[in-house]
Amino acid sequence: MAEVVRMPKMSDTMTEGVIAKWHKQVGDKVNSGDLVAEIETDKATMDFESYQEGTLLYIGPKEGEAVAIDAVIAILGEPGEDFQALLNDAPQAEEVTEKKEVEGSNSSGTEAAPQSNVTPESLGVTVITMPLLSDTMTEGVIAQWNFKVGDTIKSDDSIADVETDKATMEVTAYADGTLLYVGLEAGEAAKVNDIIAIVGPAGTDVTPLLNQKAAPTSQAAPAEVKNESKVEANVTTENKATDVADDSRVKASPLARKIAKDKGINLNEIKGSADGGRIVKKDVESYVPATKVAPASTTAAPVATETKAITLPTFVGEERYTEVAVSQMRKTIARRLGESLFTAPHFYLTVSIDMENAMLARAQINEVAPVKVSFNDIVVKAVAVALKKHPAVNSSWKGDKIRFNEHTNIGVAMAVEDGLLVPVVRFADGKSLSHISAEVKDFAQKAKTKKLTPADWEGSTFTVSNLGMFGIDEFTSIINSPDGAILSVGAIQQVPVVKNGAVVPGNVMKLTLGCDHRVVDGATGAQFLQTLKALLENPVRLLA
């Protein structure tokens, strides 16, 4: 008897999935445990294995289409079995997903009807879309193409490097054939699931497929044509200036070109030091723009009066600025922190820590530890231990419920060139100080080289942000959602303190706890800080 295969819920926040790739075709035999498809969720691209057996009779959504949870995506049964009744009884993927393409093709008239039947399968090609490479990614920028149109590629080849909001990552082709089409140039951005390339047999004409995808936007063309005459004169004038500023034909490495773009430097102004005058990274970094000579002042000298006037020297300045495109990472930082600050009601609690014992303990630990342990490593360990005693702080707001995490995954905020990353030290309460130190150092190196993966920064339950190394006394941080709290760590300062009734030199560090008032109350946060203070002022308790 035929059985319906529905879109599964692969994460707690998933509402729909995108069919990234079908690994079975209609007519194929499917066994339990076989890989049927790859599905892009809101978190990652995951394998979908069949829990049923039979022949694949029907496939609903095509590759690249989004499908709501529980919608019908396929039907398994006996060869030749009638499955139409199952489709009539259950909501199909086409009913749940948007119908914009269907409406656009219907309104284009009978002449466009033949194009509506063009599919990647009918042409024997594979469409490669912009993949979802992180849980917060909405678009990606092509950092560089590793192949050009006409090149032969294999399924495991990396066809391009894509800059996401977190890092620069490789995009794999997952198909054998010839690169027939490239949708955008290096440096351009594409939304997640937009077509970026097409792979298939050499000589295949993919124009009908591209025209079909572009049909919905063609309706806006007449309105744009009307305005062409108005801007034609401006375009002619602007083109003259663009020719001078256009540096696309200058010989430069991809990295040098990217750095120059980020700094707003025109490559025409730089002299390359590599073979053939090619510009490399060091040429861009060492480039100093020529200073403009201020025009001589023509202001007449003030006329002398009977009273002695104060003569001020004339100073000629120049107003100037540089604008750079917002990176994917900066866009995500702006969006996520804005959502956190304006959604979660923040409040802050500050406490001073006597770090005298911690400093002595750290010195002794580093005499025997395989890696150098920092004060931040000690704070991370102390936070994890304190969270086990105060689970209410180790929580997150879920709308209609509050999640109390029983594990302690500590996010460690790290500054990088483009912004901020928060890799996660998992189960930190059970790890030694040396283990935590080695893990944080590895994350820092990966962050600088943009080698962190989504698995490195997902799943935090609490975040530690430390600006003490910059000499900051104390500060407040915005909560890293969905965490319920964040700890801001200041510098250790030598200040006078009172001990046993006498004023003596002391080493004090200030900690500020930022709390989401929806899940953490003031008294709860204060009790957590008391426990944390006791651990840091007597660090031997961390080793017990």
Side-chain angles (χ1 to χ4, degrees):
M1 179 177 178
E3 295 181 272
V4 168
V5 180
R6 300 180 183 275
M7 173 61 71
K9 185 172 184 178
M10 294 178 156
S11 77
D12 55 343
T13 58
M14 176 181 174
T15 59
E16 65 177 13
V18 175
I19 302 296
K21 183 179 181 64
W22 284 105
H23 288 271
K24 298 288 185 179
Q25 303 297 327
V26 172
D28 288 354
K29 176 68 176 177
V30 178
N31 295 317
S32 177
D34 282 354
L35 177 61
V36 176
E38 293 177 22
I39 297 177
E40 291 181 13
T41 72
D42 59 332
K43 300 291 187 184
T45 300
M46 307 175 70
D47 292 341
F48 174 50
E49 297 179 356
S50 174
Y51 295 100
Q52 302 142 305
E53 295 187 354
T55 299
L56 188 57
L57 304 176
Y58 166 81
I59 288 179
K62 301 179 179 63
E63 292 181 356
E65 292 186 354
V67 184
I69 292 173
D70 291 333
V72 176
I73 60 174
I75 295 178
L76 296 175
E78 298 295 330
E81 185 176 354
D82 183 13
F83 56 84
Q84 195 60 44
L86 292 175
L87 291 177
N88 294 336
D89 293 341
Q92 302 172 41
E94 291 85 350
E95 297 175 5
V96 182
T97 54
E98 298 179 358
K99 301 180 180 179
K100 293 182 180 178
E101 293 185 8
V102 176
E103 294 172 358
S105 60
N106 289 339
S107 61
S108 63
T110 56
E111 293 181 1
Q115 283 190 355
S116 63
N117 295 326
V118 178
T119 64
E121 291 79 7
S122 64
L123 295 178
V125 300
T126 299
V127 172
I128 300 175
T129 58
M130 177 62 71
L132 184 67
L133 298 173
S134 79
D135 57 336
T136 57
M137 176 181 174
T138 58
E139 66 178 11
V141 174
I142 300 295
Q144 72 173 25
W145 286 103
N146 300 325
F147 294 88
K148 61 180 181 296
V149 173
D151 287 352
T152 300
I153 62 177
K154 298 180 181 179
S155 60
D156 58 349
D157 281 342
S158 171
I159 63 168
D161 293 342
V162 172
E163 178 190 345
T164 73
D165 57 327
K166 302 288 188 181
T168 300
M169 307 174 73
E170 296 179 347
V171 175
T172 305
Y174 294 115
D176 294 328
T178 300
L179 186 58
L180 305 172
Y181 168 78
V182 168
L184 62 165
E185 299 295 329
E188 294 182 347
K191 299 289 186 183
V192 172
N193 295 326
D194 280 358
I195 296 177
I196 60 173
I198 298 178
V199 176
T204 303
D205 182 12
V206 297
T207 304
L209 180 62
L210 295 173
N211 291 340
Q212 179 173 294
K213 296 288 185 182
T217 59
S218 63
Q219 297 177 358
E224 296 175 3
V225 171
K226 294 179 182 179
N227 295 328
E228 284 184 0
S229 60
K230 297 181 181 179
V231 300
E232 185 174 351
N234 292 337
V235 171
T236 303
T237 305
E238 291 173 3
N239 283 343
K240 295 179 181 179
T242 304
D243 291 341
V244 177
D246 184 15
D247 57 7
S248 60
R249 296 183 178 274
V250 177
K251 294 169 63 178
S253 69
L255 180 57
R257 192 175 295 278
K258 181 179 185 300
I259 296 174
K261 181 181 177 182
D262 292 343
K263 293 185 176 181
I265 299 174
N266 192 317
L267 292 176
N268 288 308
E269 302 173 3
I270 303 176
K271 184 178 180 180
S273 61
D275 294 341
R278 186 168 181 262
I279 298 172
V280 293
K281 175 184 176 183
K282 67 176 183 179
D283 298 327
V284 180
E285 292 181 337
S286 61
Y287 170 71
V288 178
T291 56
K292 297 181 180 179
V293 180
S297 174
T298 58
T299 306
V303 179
T305 61
E306 293 182 1
T307 58
K308 187 176 180 181
I310 299 176
T311 304
L312 296 176
T314 301
F315 180 82
V316 178
E318 180 184 6
E319 294 184 0
R320 58 181 179 178
Y321 58 85
T322 300
E323 292 183 346
V324 297
V326 181
S327 66
Q328 300 301 305
M329 182 183 295
R330 181 56 57 186
K331 288 180 182 178
T332 299
I333 291 173
R335 176 175 57 82
R336 293 202 65 201
L337 295 187
E339 290 173 354
S340 174
L341 183 61
F342 300 124
T343 301
H346 287 52
F347 74 90
Y348 297 96
L349 303 171
T350 301
V351 66
S352 296
I353 310 294
D354 182 355
M355 294 295 290
E356 199 71 36
N357 290 334
M359 296 173 70
L360 294 174
R362 175 176 176 262
Q364 293 175 348
I365 291 172
N366 283 334
E367 290 179 359
V368 296
V371 294
K372 185 177 180 181
V373 174
S374 68
F375 288 111
N376 197 62
D377 300 328
I378 297 174
V379 171
V380 170
K381 173 70 173 181
V383 164
V385 174
L387 287 175
K388 299 294 286 186
K389 299 180 180 180
H390 301 276
V393 182
N394 196 33
S395 60
S396 55
W397 178 260
K398 292 295 182 180
D400 57 347
K401 55 182 176 290
I402 297 175
R403 172 176 295 175
F404 295 95
N405 298 295
E406 298 178 7
H407 57 284
T408 56
N409 290 351
I410 310 300
V412 181
M414 294 182 177
V416 294
E417 182 179 357
D418 295 334
L420 183 72
L421 291 174
V422 189
V424 179
V425 178
R426 303 181 188 280
F427 314 112
D429 61 299
K431 294 179 178 178
S432 67
L433 290 171
S434 297
H435 192 156
I436 292 173
S437 177
E439 199 167 325
V440 171
K441 286 179 173 61
D442 182 56
F443 282 145
Q445 184 61 34
K446 287 182 178 179
K448 289 180 180 179
T449 57
K450 294 187 176 182
K451 297 299 183 182
L452 288 174
T453 65
D456 294 327
W457 64 67
E458 293 175 351
S460 69
T461 62
F462 187 96
T463 302
V464 173
S465 180
N466 191 339
L467 293 180
M469 65 287 293
F470 298 106
I472 302 301
D473 298 341
E474 61 179 305
F475 65 102
T476 59
S477 303
I478 299 174
I479 296 170
N480 181 31
S481 297
D483 297 354
I486 186 170
L487 186 71
S488 306
V489 183
I492 299 176
Q493 292 186 301
Q494 282 194 328
V495 295
V497 297
V498 178
K499 289 185 178 181
N500 300 321
V503 178
V504 297
N507 292 284
V508 175
M509 179 177 70
K510 290 187 177 181
L511 302 179
T512 300
L513 181 68
C515 304
D516 181 349
H517 216 325
R518 295 174 299 180
V519 295
V520 180
D521 293 325
T524 304
Q527 290 166 0
F528 168 79
L529 284 178
Q530 286 179 339
T531 301
L532 183 59
K533 176 182 173 72
L535 290 170
L536 290 173
E537 291 184 346
N538 298 280
V540 69
R541 297 171 61 181
L542 297 174
L543 307 176

